[in-house]
Amino acid sequence: MSKQDGMNYAPQGKPNHVVNPGEFVFAAAALDHGHIQGMTKGLIEAGAVLKWVFDPDHAKAASFAAKFPGAVAADHLEQILEDPEVRLVAAAAVPSERCELGLRVMDAGKDYFTDKTPFTTLEQLEAARAKVRETGRKYMVYYSERLHVESAVYAGQLIREGAIGRVLQVTGFGPHRLSASTRPDWFFQKEKYGGILCDIGSHQIEQFLYYAGCKDATVLQSKIANYNHPDYPELEDYGDATLVGDNGASQYFRVDWFTPDGLGTWGDGRTFILGTEGYIELRKYIDVGREPDGDHVYLVNKDGERHFAVHGQIGYPFFGELILDCLHRTEHAMTQEHAFKAAELCLKAQEMALRIS
């Protein structure tokens, strides 16, 4: 995993197979975003078998397939969609193209696992909701900043155990390093990436819904800006928003592309969770000036002050749960309602955002 490059963030987990060899076969398609590496690794570590890889750039597909013994680069997408062994297609297409691909996958009778953000318009979201109802297939989303971060997983466990009582407020910071010269052209085209709140803001809203136990929320205010990148006029390099959940919990989050070069990782992601009986702070990717490793959890409650360094200790249960959900048609990894609600709220935050620069 490159700690400098958030686009190719792919944590290494411990193998924890939930199925027998060959019991769950999947394919990887549309390799536009580097998150497909983390998605693929997570599924394989949980026991899935990668059979096919497809991208219109055949050289890219062949290079990706070569990293995984037994995987074959497909000549066309139909090879994957027509293969009865393939149960799920994982994909990281250009954001504006993710929905169309998902509809094709579900029409082929397979579950779909896409990188965030899953949609760039509310119309796409409604099309996916309709297709899920029609086909009974899953449209799952890789909200990696919770699902593929051990400190974030552990925070969820602490909350479920009642360590801080009822969650009242969640504050999230999602700074990222831009590394503009390494980004593809679509990254700077708003119609294709959807806007900063739609894109990396989706992580923050998903975490709020999960930690606070909200089924729905209202976006109270949101702002976007291009403060310092005039060469990329369609880039939004800053965004923030405030939400209130249906259970009264609230959220504020900030996302930006201003990680300085001197930081030892791609972003100093942090989350603060306030409860009625204590609070939690997550230092996800680094503990600045102290520890280069991430996954630090700070807990304060009636029992005192505690620090948990959980890197390499917790694992990533989402992937195994997703595999079993696909096999048994359950919803333990993430409900479809939750995946779509997080997407809906980030789209609404983006749509109503006040541009301040």
Side-chain angles (χ1 to χ4, degrees):
M1 176 183 69
S2 171
K3 293 199 70 175
Q4 297 292 329
D5 182 6
M7 188 165 183
N8 293 300
Y9 180 70
Q12 185 71 44
K14 297 177 181 179
N16 184 21
H17 293 189
V18 299
V19 288
N20 295 319
E23 188 177 354
F24 190 86
V25 174
F26 77 104
L31 313 178
D32 296 284
H33 197 292
H35 279 173
I36 190 64
Q37 299 179 58
M39 299 162 71
T40 299
K41 287 172 64 176
L43 288 167
I44 290 173
E45 288 166 0
V49 173
L50 178 64
K51 182 175 182 179
W52 296 105
V53 178
F54 173 75
D55 190 90
D57 182 339
H58 290 181
K60 182 190 291 187
S63 176
F64 189 90
K67 300 175 184 177
F68 303 98
V72 176
D75 293 325
H76 48 81
L77 182 62
E78 284 67 25
Q79 282 178 271
I80 293 171
L81 300 183
E82 295 171 2
D83 185 342
E85 279 194 323
V86 174
R87 294 179 176 271
L88 176 141
V89 176
V94 173
S96 60
E97 300 170 6
R98 288 171 184 169
C99 179
E100 181 181 358
L101 176 58
L103 301 182
R104 291 185 65 186
V105 168
M106 291 188 289
D107 275 335
K110 305 179 189 308
D111 292 315
Y112 182 55
F113 180 35
T114 179
D115 188 19
K116 65 78 216 163
T117 183
F119 312 104
T120 54
T121 70
L122 288 166
E123 290 76 18
Q124 292 172 359
L125 169 61
E126 291 311 311
R129 278 178 165 149
K131 189 62 69 175
V132 166
R133 291 193 296 268
E134 174 190 338
T135 64
R137 297 292 99 190
K138 295 181 182 294
Y139 193 114
M140 282 293 100
V141 184
Y142 181 57
Y143 293 113
S144 58
E145 291 186 26
R146 180 177 68 84
L147 304 175
H148 225 162
V149 175
E150 287 179 290
S151 58
V153 174
Y154 189 55
Q157 295 175 8
L158 289 173
I159 290 168
R160 287 195 299 274
E161 292 167 2
I164 61 170
R166 179 167 66 93
V167 171
L168 304 176
Q169 206 276 339
V170 179
T171 300
F173 299 103
H176 287 60
R177 177 173 283 124
L178 184 59
S179 302
S181 63
T182 70
R183 300 286 180 174
D185 290 343
W186 61 259
F187 181 86
F188 301 101
Q189 300 170 23
K190 187 170 180 179
E191 184 179 359
K192 293 187 176 181
Y193 79 87
I196 192 169
L197 299 177
C198 174
D199 182 19
I200 55 178
S202 64
H203 290 296
Q204 301 297 323
I205 292 176
E206 190 278 330
Q207 288 174 93
F208 167 57
L209 295 178
Y210 178 77
Y211 290 138
C214 301
K215 296 292 187 183
D216 201 353
T218 300
V219 181
L220 300 181
Q221 69 82 26
S222 55
K223 305 190 296 291
I224 55 173
N226 182 329
Y227 278 125
N228 200 43
H229 296 89
D231 291 345
Y232 304 101
E234 294 187 46
L235 175 70
E236 295 164 359
D237 58 22
Y238 175 89
D240 66 26
T242 303
L243 291 81
V244 61
D246 55 1
N247 59 4
S250 64
Q251 179 191 34
Y252 169 79
F253 73 85
R254 187 202 77 213
V255 287
D256 65 75
W257 293 102
F258 287 109
T259 293
D261 290 343
L263 186 72
T265 186
W266 54 269
D268 185 13
R270 300 198 187 194
T271 303
F272 300 82
I273 308 166
L274 173 66
T276 54
E277 299 174 22
Y279 63 88
I280 293 169
E281 179 189 348
L282 308 181
R283 302 181 187 179
K284 292 183 176 180
Y285 310 114
I286 194 170
D287 198 353
V288 172
R290 299 180 64 233
E291 297 286 344
D293 286 337
D295 291 313
H296 295 271
V297 179
Y298 293 86
L299 168 66
V300 182
N301 62 11
K302 61 180 172 40
D303 298 319
E305 309 163 5
R306 281 174 285 177
H307 168 223
F308 305 94
V310 299
H311 182 70
Q313 305 300 312
I314 305 301
Y316 309 109
F318 168 83
F319 299 94
E321 292 169 352
L322 175 60
I323 289 169
L324 295 176
D325 281 346
C326 292
L327 290 173
H328 304 310
R329 312 318 295 170
T330 50
E331 289 195 314
H332 299 299
M334 180 185 296
T335 68
Q336 189 64 73
E337 179 185 7
H338 176 87
F340 280 164
K341 182 55 66 173
E344 176 189 327
L345 291 169
C346 76
L347 289 165
K348 288 181 175 179
Q350 184 69 53
E351 188 175 71
M352 67 180 283
L354 172 67
R355 187 172 184 110
I356 54 177
S357 177

